[in-house]
Amino acid sequence: MSSTLARVTDVTITVRSNGPYKLVGPVTIVDPDGREFELPEGSAIALCRCGHSRNKPFCDASHRRVGFVADDTAPRVVPPLTATD
């Protein structure tokens, strides 16, 4: 169990503005039948989130052609006020 958890913590997923999810770190991607996709060389891959890639689940930059817009940002947490504020 600890080796699996260590691997997961080494992965970073970045939501790219108007683009794909960028994954950096050791990942395995499998299809519905459990077969692994062959991943490109290097430690980063981009996964489509616009739905128009011709190479799903990977990004082929179709988001640019179709004008995909998604500027998702993480919510900003505002610290609660204290009695001294």
Side-chain angles (χ1 to χ4, degrees):
M1 179 171 111
S2 62
S3 64
T4 301
L5 291 176
R7 287 186 57 209
V8 170
T9 60
D10 292 340
V11 176
T12 301
I13 302 172
T14 303
V15 179
R16 304 205 49 202
S17 181
N18 302 322
Y21 294 114
K22 180 180 177 184
L23 284 69
V24 177
V27 297
T28 302
I29 299 177
V30 297
D31 72 8
D33 296 325
R35 295 180 300 219
E36 290 185 20
F37 282 93
E38 184 175 323
L39 299 178
E41 292 294 320
S43 62
I45 59 170
L47 295 179
C48 175
R49 67 179 182 133
C50 76
H52 293 275
S53 175
R54 292 183 181 106
N55 190 31
K56 291 180 186 118
F58 305 103
C59 177
D60 68 357
S62 289
H63 56 277
R64 294 179 188 148
R65 177 177 49 83
V66 300
F68 179 70
V69 176
D71 290 335
D72 306 326
T73 59
R76 304 296 184 245
V77 178
V78 178
L81 294 175
T82 63
T84 59
D85 287 340

